[in-house]
Amino acid sequence: MSNKFKIVHQTNSRVRYKYSLLDDKYIDENILKKDLEKLEGVENVRVNKVAKSVVVNFEDSKVLETVEKRLKDLTLDDLLESCKNEAVCVSCVSDEDPSIKGIVRASSALLAERFTKNDLIKATVSSVAAAPLLIEGSKELFEEGLTSKVLESAAVGISLYRKDYLAANSTNAMLELGEYIEETTVHKSDDLLKELAKPNVEEAWIEKEVDGKITEVLVKSSEIKTGDVVVVGVGNTIAVDGHILDGSASVNEVSMTGEAEPVIKRRGDRVISGTIIEDGRLRIWAEYVGADTATQRIKHYIENSLNEKSSVQLKATKLADKLVPVTLGLAGTSYVLTRDFERTASILQADYSCALKLATPVAFKTTISKAGHNGIMIKGAKSIESLNSADTFVFDKTGTLTEGELEVISVESYDDEWTEEDVLNLTASTEEHYFHPVAEAVVKAAKEKGFVHMHHEEVEFIVAHGVKTEVDGKQVVIGSRHFLEDDEKIDFGNAKSRIQKSLDNGKTLLYIGFDGKLLGTISLADNLRKNAKSSIKRLRELGVKNIVMLTGDTKKKASMIAQELDIDEVRAELLPTDKARIVKELMDQGKKVAFVGDGINDAPALISSHVGISMSRGADIAKATADVSLLKDDISAVVEAKELANNTMKLINNNFNATVGINSAILAGATFGLFSPIQTAVLHNGTTIGLLLNSIRGVKVNK
């Protein structure tokens, strides 16, 4: 269905539309603005979502046909697609540096007025200097109603009318200085975030078959496909997310995780794009390429972070807008009672809008930037707000409270002709071609015990079950008990008691079948993180009232873990589909729920919770659906995120109270004639600048 729009006002170079698509809450003004400005002949665009207004400045009216066709046909998907392949829509945020021209113009008029005695020259110079403010204020009055800009222009206009050129020029100069510092501060907060949008790696070496030989070829990063083997040497930046096939290297991950110390990476380890090899050489199997890599996901996070408004931000904006008529009403009442234009001009200076509207988003952006530099990607202001209010943390055990790396504890053989080492070598030989956590653990254990490879035929991988191959013409089956006993009809009779004993001790078993018989089992364990208990303790100190653990383990094993970690509530023997249901249950009880997980089956719970947190080793879909995505494999990062959120909201509330309190005092002083327009301008702008600097300084986290 096409969009509805109508022309509200039009001149020879400018047209204003009322546009129905702006009713959609997911439409972002900056992206729409950028999209329309791409049209040839369009000079610039202004979008006001609240007023559902689109203002287009153009060179020739012929372009309007193209503009109106675009407005008619445009969809939300078109807008998202239009910025999918850019450095993302970080480009939607203006890269223009704040201009100092206004300060120069206003200051020059102030100086000129002091050195001339001719009233006509004073009036001319002062009026020319104030003209941009007066014009902008008049435009905003007709287009947006009463705003802080309208009050400021009225204050300067009254001073000009009274021929108080010193007050007019001083006030104008202070306003220009304040606006410049405000723009610089906001620009700085955007720059902090855009620093995180690492430049794409333009080119990379990949292995290709040329004339029957494997050769390294330099290609553009955009040409790399999933499954390609990427070769990265010393000093180069990794262009893909993937697994190491061969080699070892010291990898600097500071740009992605905030960890300054290089990490040694070897075969089977995962690497992420944007990290740099300091020493060594790697052959990497490309798993995620292009827009799916970590660096590109970060850019999408930044786009949300730059433009998203939280409820507290909207509350501040609404309050600021409501207080404009209050200021105007006081000014009018004061004039009626005192007939003092100077006092009226002073009152019009004491406006709440600037500090209320600017300090809050700057505080959010600064926190998102600081978190990003520490390997914590927060999607936006709403996520910070939700994380601050979260009083219940739900952990999916595996990969969050545990290391997420399985370790071989023991090997048992049920055939006298096969030693434990033989069973381990057979399993490792079959599993070494896969990067599944179980396979990686088995191969690692075999190498530590002097791995002897056993020749086998092609391996068949059966999803969620296991693997099959042949050795010496006999079938090898490795995987779950269900796979071997139910699907492959292998008899477990003679080993049931030994298997049950291992299960009762909390071990995870991998079953190996050979020639139609149960050959043996390998016991694996996923160890608890060393700092899991201390992290849970810190969460309680930060106001979390309830810690819940979800697991598929037996109730006995789950209770042991819960007791060790001091967890309040445990749900055991769960199916993957149970997680989202439990999260909803807790939310229905009135709890503010944060869910921490890392698997594909965690996505529904991550989405349905008030705030979803995905661990660094999590599945891509988990990271995509989470509100907070961790780039470092450390549960203490969950605590850092919570502390950042708490401290940020405390800072915002302090700024909010200071803004209302200080500006109310200034307004009262101006109303009772205690401050001149110049003094009011200095106090008002000084307060705003101080609060902005406080916001950009940001908050600290105790590590």
Side-chain angles (χ1 to χ4, degrees):
M1 187 175 75
S2 62
N3 304 308
K4 292 179 181 178
F5 64 87
K6 67 176 181 179
I7 296 175
V8 178
H9 182 262
Q10 184 173 351
T11 66
N12 292 333
S13 61
R14 181 175 171 276
V15 62
R16 183 154 74 97
Y17 297 100
K18 196 88 167 176
Y19 191 35
S20 67
L21 190 63
L22 288 169
D23 281 325
D24 193 315
K25 66 179 180 179
Y26 295 110
I27 288 289
D28 186 282
E29 301 100 309
N30 292 300
I31 304 176
L32 176 59
K33 175 181 183 294
K34 198 75 178 177
D35 182 87
L36 293 175
E37 285 180 344
K38 290 177 184 176
L39 300 176
E40 190 174 345
V42 173
E43 290 183 333
N44 60 70
V45 176
R46 282 180 61 197
V47 179
N48 185 327
K49 190 171 180 181
V50 176
K52 300 178 183 59
S53 166
V54 178
V55 179
V56 180
N57 290 291
F58 52 85
E59 298 170 356
D60 191 320
S61 59
K62 291 178 182 177
V63 75
L64 292 184
E65 187 178 338
T66 307
V67 170
E68 289 172 7
K69 185 177 187 310
R70 183 62 175 163
L71 290 174
K72 181 181 177 182
D73 298 337
L74 198 59
T75 67
L76 178 61
D77 289 339
D78 292 334
L79 286 178
L80 295 175
E81 188 65 30
S82 72
C83 62
K84 181 180 176 182
N85 298 316
E86 296 183 16
V88 179
C89 298
V90 167
S91 58
C92 297
V93 177
S94 174
D95 286 321
E96 287 183 25
D97 291 325
S99 174
I100 203 168
K101 290 179 183 176
I103 297 174
V104 172
R105 183 180 61 250
S107 301
S108 300
L110 180 60
L111 289 171
E113 186 271 337
R114 292 285 81 196
F115 289 103
T116 183
K117 294 181 179 179
N118 187 297
D119 283 346
L120 180 60
I121 294 174
K122 284 184 177 185
T124 304
V125 169
S126 301
S127 298
V128 169
L133 174 65
L134 297 173
I135 292 168
E136 198 172 338
S138 301
K139 279 184 178 179
E140 285 204 14
L141 178 61
F142 289 108
E143 291 180 4
E144 299 177 32
L146 292 174
T147 66
S148 58
K149 186 68 71 178
V150 173
L151 298 185
E152 290 162 356
S153 62
V156 173
I158 288 171
S159 295
L160 288 172
Y161 174 75
R162 293 179 59 246
K163 297 184 180 179
D164 186 353
Y165 303 119
L166 174 61
N169 289 318
S170 299
T171 302
N172 191 31
M174 277 303 304
L175 289 170
E176 290 288 357
L177 176 62
E179 190 168 320
Y180 175 75
I181 294 174
E182 288 163 13
E183 286 179 6
T184 302
T185 309
V186 175
H187 194 78
K188 174 70 174 171
S189 70
D190 285 348
D191 282 346
L192 286 171
L193 279 172
K194 287 189 278 189
E195 278 177 30
L196 296 173
K198 306 299 175 188
N200 292 328
V201 181
E202 297 290 334
E203 296 178 319
W205 292 92
I206 68 169
E207 291 184 354
K208 277 193 174 182
E209 190 174 324
V210 179
D211 298 329
K213 294 182 178 179
I214 299 297
T215 307
E216 291 179 16
V217 179
L218 187 64
V219 300
K220 291 189 179 298
S221 297
S222 57
E223 296 175 10
I224 301 175
K225 298 179 179 64
T226 299
D228 282 343
V229 177
V230 181
V231 182
V232 190
V234 177
N236 291 330
T237 301
I238 297 172
V240 298
D241 296 354
H243 296 85
I244 298 171
L245 291 173
D246 186 42
S248 64
S250 175
V251 181
N252 187 328
E253 297 183 324
V254 68
S255 63
M256 301 300 286
T257 67
E259 297 296 331
E261 290 297 316
V263 181
I264 302 299
K265 297 280 186 176
R266 299 183 178 86
R267 185 194 183 282
D269 288 340
R270 293 171 176 82
V271 290
I272 52 178
S273 61
T275 56
I276 300 168
I277 293 186
E278 291 190 349
D279 185 33
R281 190 170 186 270
L282 298 176
R283 291 175 64 243
I284 302 164
W285 185 81
E287 184 176 9
Y288 298 115
V289 300
D292 294 326
T293 61
T295 48
Q296 291 299 316
R297 288 199 303 271
I298 288 171
K299 288 177 181 179
H300 283 285
Y301 270 85
I302 292 169
E303 167 58 15
N304 286 333
S305 305
L306 286 170
N307 298 314
E308 185 186 61
K309 290 180 174 65
S310 70
S311 62
V312 72
Q313 195 170 331
L314 292 171
K315 177 186 170 186
T317 303
K318 285 179 181 177
L319 179 60
D321 291 339
K322 284 180 181 177
L323 289 173
V324 170
V326 172
T327 305
L328 189 64
L330 275 174
T333 304
S334 175
Y335 178 72
V336 169
L337 296 175
T338 66
R339 298 291 171 178
D340 185 348
F341 261 134
E342 182 177 3
R343 186 178 296 193
T344 302
S346 295
I347 294 170
L348 291 172
Q349 292 288 342
D351 174 54
Y352 297 80
S353 294
C354 297
L356 281 175
K357 289 183 177 179
L358 294 176
T360 299
V362 167
F364 278 129
K365 290 173 184 180
T366 303
T367 291
I368 292 163
S369 171
K370 283 191 174 184
H373 282 296
N374 283 293
I376 302 167
M377 299 310 302
I378 303 176
K379 255 182 190 173
K382 288 179 184 175
S383 300
I384 293 175
E385 204 171 29
S386 299
L387 193 52
N388 167 68
S389 63
D391 57 19
T392 298
F393 270 65
V394 179
F395 289 89
D396 177 45
K397 187 205 74 175
T398 305
T400 58
L401 299 172
T402 64
E403 294 285 357
E405 281 190 4
L406 291 170
E407 181 183 349
V408 172
I409 303 300
S410 62
V411 181
E412 289 196 54
S413 173
Y414 301 145
D415 188 322
D416 294 338
E417 294 182 10
W418 287 74
T419 65
E420 283 79 5
E421 287 77 10
D422 290 337
V423 172
L424 184 61
N425 286 333
L426 172 66
T427 309
S429 299
T430 307
E431 296 269 25
E432 68 176 335
H433 302 287
Y434 296 96
F435 293 109
H436 188 278
V438 172
E440 290 177 353
V442 170
V443 171
K444 180 182 177 183
K447 285 183 175 180
E448 288 172 355
K449 295 187 177 183
F451 179 34
V452 178
H453 186 273
M454 293 185 178
H455 177 73
H456 57 80
E457 302 303 321
E458 186 175 346
V459 179
E460 180 186 359
F461 181 71
I462 297 134
V463 178
H465 284 76
V467 295
K468 292 171 72 172
T469 188
E470 285 189 4
V471 171
D472 297 332
K474 296 176 181 178
Q475 189 179 64
V476 177
V477 184
I478 301 169
S480 66
R481 180 168 184 170
H482 168 73
F483 179 41
L484 271 70
E485 192 172 26
D486 298 337
D487 295 349
E488 297 299 321
K489 307 302 179 187
I490 292 175
D491 183 23
F492 274 54
N494 295 333
K496 279 186 177 179
S497 59
R498 294 170 69 180
I499 290 171
Q500 192 57 48
K501 186 178 178 182
S502 295
L503 292 174
D504 289 341
N505 289 330
K507 294 178 180 177
T508 300
L509 297 182
L510 177 68
Y511 301 89
I512 301 97
F514 181 71
D515 194 23
K517 298 176 184 176
L518 183 62
L519 180 62
T521 58
I522 295 177
S523 299
L524 302 110
D526 186 6
N527 297 320
L528 289 174
R529 292 179 186 268
K530 293 176 182 176
N531 60 347
K533 188 171 184 177
S534 60
S535 294
I536 287 172
K537 184 182 177 184
R538 282 183 66 197
L539 281 175
R540 293 191 193 284
E541 292 168 357
L542 291 170
V544 178
K545 298 173 183 174
N546 196 27
I547 308 286
V548 182
M549 182 181 80
L550 309 183
T551 178
D553 290 340
T554 61
K555 289 181 180 179
K556 183 179 178 181
K557 182 180 177 182
S559 297
M560 288 168 57
I561 294 171
Q563 190 172 359
E564 184 177 347
L565 296 179
D566 191 24
I567 286 171
D568 301 306
E569 185 180 347
V570 60
R571 306 283 187 97
E573 298 177 3
L574 297 176
L575 295 172
T577 51
D578 292 331
K579 297 174 188 176
R581 175 183 57 77
I582 292 168
V583 165
K584 189 173 184 307
E585 265 179 37
L586 293 167
M587 290 169 68
D588 289 342
Q589 294 168 18
K591 293 172 180 173
K592 302 293 184 183
V593 178
F595 179 84
V596 188
D598 71 343
I600 289 174
N601 50 41
D602 292 336
L606 287 164
I607 293 171
S608 59
S609 60
H610 289 109
V611 57
I613 304 173
S614 82
M615 299 297 288
S616 69
R617 297 188 181 188
D620 195 49
I621 189 170
K623 292 177 182 178
T625 53
D627 300 292
V628 179
S629 184
L630 307 180
L631 293 177
K632 53 185 178 183
D633 187 31
D634 187 351
I635 193 174
S636 67
V638 175
V639 185
E640 285 178 43
K642 172 66 174 168
E643 190 171 357
L644 275 168
N646 286 9
N647 291 347
T648 300
M649 296 311 296
K650 194 181 293 181
L651 171 66
I652 287 168
N653 287 330
N654 289 341
N655 280 349
F656 190 90
N657 293 333
T659 299
V660 174
I662 295 170
N663 279 283
S664 295
I666 295 170
L667 185 59
T671 302
F672 289 106
L674 301 177
F675 304 134
S676 68
I678 298 171
Q679 290 170 328
T680 307
V682 170
L683 290 169
H684 167 66
N685 284 287
T687 300
T688 301
I689 292 162
L691 290 169
L692 283 170
L693 292 175
N694 190 39
S695 289
I696 204 165
R697 181 173 59 86
V699 296
K700 293 181 180 179
V701 171
N702 299 316
K703 292 190 177 182

